[in-house]
Structures are given as structure tokens and as C-alpha cells.
Amino acid sequence: ETGVTQTPRHLVMGMTNKKSLKCEQHLGHNAMYWYKQSAKKPLELMFVYNFKEQTENNSVPSRFSPECPNSSHLFLHLHTLQPEDSALYLCASSQEATGLAPYEQYFGPGTRLTVT
Amino acid sequence: RKEVEQDPGPFNVPEGATVAFNCTYSNSASQSFFWYRQDCRKEPKLLMSVYSSGNEDGRFTAQLNRASQYISLLIRDSKLSDSATYLCVVNGFDYAGGTSYGKLTFGQGTILTVHP
């Protein structure tokens, strides 16, 4: 399936590095999301973009910086990360994220990040 | 109380068995509900939406009890390929900048292993 793609699929970075995760959706959706999934924990919502506007920053540390240049693309810029930031980072999209819209989300394959 | 709570399992059942998963949610204003499936080291994928009247998709039946804030998933005639983690997902909403927007909250997941 190629509805939501993410690159890279795997990333190993040192604590002083700067890297970016990329997400692209081909579903014509207007909302995009970043989630973090750590071992044995539920998915944690990090950021929400609805019609390119950021609507949620779920108390995420500033070392994670999202960017949404258009409705199809979403980036997560990473800098000075900590080892505890190692996790699976998932991008998702949905038709929109307005009000009580019951729109299901579709996920990309994720980027498995290891911070050394 | 967790927003979405599931029995983490694991559930180990033989092929052909019937297995049921339960989920409770805390936000009575929640409007829509889903079950997602996540295979090991893969992204979550939508299994089915959950409707007020209950719904069925092949071997899978979902039920919703709004009064008790309870959702269930029943799998009949289990297959080896059903082995996965099943995520209970609830759509609520939050506010930012004076606008409400939808957000999904994920349960921790229930692990199912179907053995020959």
C-alpha cells in the first residue's frame, strides 16, 4: 500500500545530530499527524495539522519541530535528541480533523529511530 | 483513569476458537470508535469502525455500549493470520485556538496469538 509513505524507514542518530523525518500522503486528505510509539506504551499523539495549520502540540519537547508545507507533506525535524526518544515514529492522515468528525486515520509504515 | 483502557492480554487461543476483547473509555462525549490491528513492527491498520447498533464484517463483530462506555470485538473461527495486537481507538475532540478538532486516542492494545 502506498497511501501514506514515510522516509527513512530506519534511522540511527547521535545526540548531537540533526535529521528530518518525511511523510507524504496520496489520499487527498487534509489532516496529518505525528505519533510516537514506544515499547509497551499506547500511541502518543505529538502533533496535528489540519488544513496545513498546526492544531495540536501535545506537550512535545522543542527538540521535535514539525513542518507542514502543504496538505500532502509533513516533516519532523529532530535535533539534540535523547536516548529515551528512541521509538517508532508514525505519520497518519485523515480526511480532516475538524470538530467531531469521525474520520479514521491511515498510517504510514513508520520510522524506527534509535538515538545513541 | 486512562482515557481508553484495554486488557493487554496476551490471549493465546487455538485455531478455530472464538475470542472477545473488551475496551472501556472515559470520555462520555466520544463520538466514534474503531478497532485497529497492528502486526509486529508494522503500522496500525484500520480493522473496522464500531457503530451504535453493532456491526459485523465476516468473522469480526464489534459492539458499542454507550451507557457503559464499553466497546467489544469478537473474532470467530480464529486463523493463524489473526495473530496481532488489537487497538481500541476512540475519537474525541480537543480545543486549540478557539476551534475544536477531532483526535483519536489509542488504547494500549490487546495481544492475540492464535496457535495451530
Side-chain angles (χ1 to χ4, degrees):
Chain A
E1 293 183 18
T2 58
V4 183
T5 58
Q6 287 187 246
T7 55
R9 296 292 305 276
H10 300 272
L11 178 62
V12 179
M13 60 186 288
M15 289 190 283
T16 58
N17 291 158
K18 288 185 180 181
K19 296 286 184 184
S20 296
L21 309 185
K22 179 183 175 182
C23 176
E24 184 173 359
Q25 59 94 2
H26 309 273
L27 300 169
H29 289 164
N30 293 299
M32 296 186 77
Y33 312 79
W34 280 117
Y35 289 87
K36 175 183 178 181
Q37 188 173 36
S38 304
K40 300 189 187 301
K41 284 188 175 181
L43 268 73
E44 300 171 49
L45 179 64
M46 300 174 72
F47 302 105
V48 179
Y49 278 84
N50 195 34
F51 293 93
K52 299 187 295 179
E53 297 294 322
Q54 185 177 321
T55 56
E56 169 109 12
N57 177 339
N58 210 19
S59 303
V60 179
S62 59
R63 56 186 183 268
F64 295 91
S65 173
E67 179 190 358
C68 187
N70 55 60
S71 293
S72 299
H73 294 85
L74 185 65
F75 295 90
L76 187 62
H77 303 300
L78 316 171
H79 64 97
T80 59
L81 295 191
Q82 304 298 311
E84 60 265 28
D85 296 323
S86 299
L88 180 67
Y89 289 85
L90 290 157
C91 173
S93 72
S94 69
Q95 190 167 338
E96 59 181 85
T98 305
L100 297 175
Y103 299 118
E104 58 270 23
Q105 295 178 14
Y106 297 88
F107 286 83
T111 295
R112 191 159 294 279
L113 173 67
T114 303
V115 181
T116 60
Chain B
R1 182 183 173 185
K2 291 181 184 176
E3 288 188 68
V4 180
E5 197 145 8
Q6 294 181 251
D7 179 348
F11 286 65
N12 292 297
V13 303
E15 275 186 288
T18 296
V19 61
F21 305 139
N22 303 320
C23 170
T24 56
Y25 60 95
S26 61
N27 186 351
S28 59
S30 299
Q31 293 292 314
S32 52
F33 311 89
F34 308 94
W35 283 101
Y36 277 71
R37 169 195 169 128
Q38 187 170 23
D39 292 294
C40 187
R41 303 182 75 81
K42 295 284 184 75
E43 73 275 20
K45 293 188 178 179
L46 179 66
L47 179 65
M48 59 195 301
S49 302
V50 186
Y51 302 123
S52 296
S53 54
N55 50 298
E56 189 173 304
D57 183 0
R59 298 182 292 109
F60 300 84
T61 300
Q63 297 279 352
L64 168 65
N65 184 323
R66 285 188 186 271
S68 301
Q69 295 178 207
Y70 170 95
I71 306 158
S72 66
L73 177 68
L74 182 77
I75 306 176
R76 291 182 301 279
D77 188 23
S78 299
K79 311 289 185 193
L80 296 176
S81 56
D82 293 334
S83 297
T85 298
Y86 290 83
L87 303 169
C88 176
V89 184
V90 175
N91 189 32
F93 61 94
D94 207 337
Y95 290 96
T99 302
S100 66
Y101 64 94
K103 58 180 280 186
L104 295 187
T105 302
F106 287 76
Q108 188 174 359
T110 299
I111 299 170
L112 171 67
T113 302
V114 181
H115 57 81

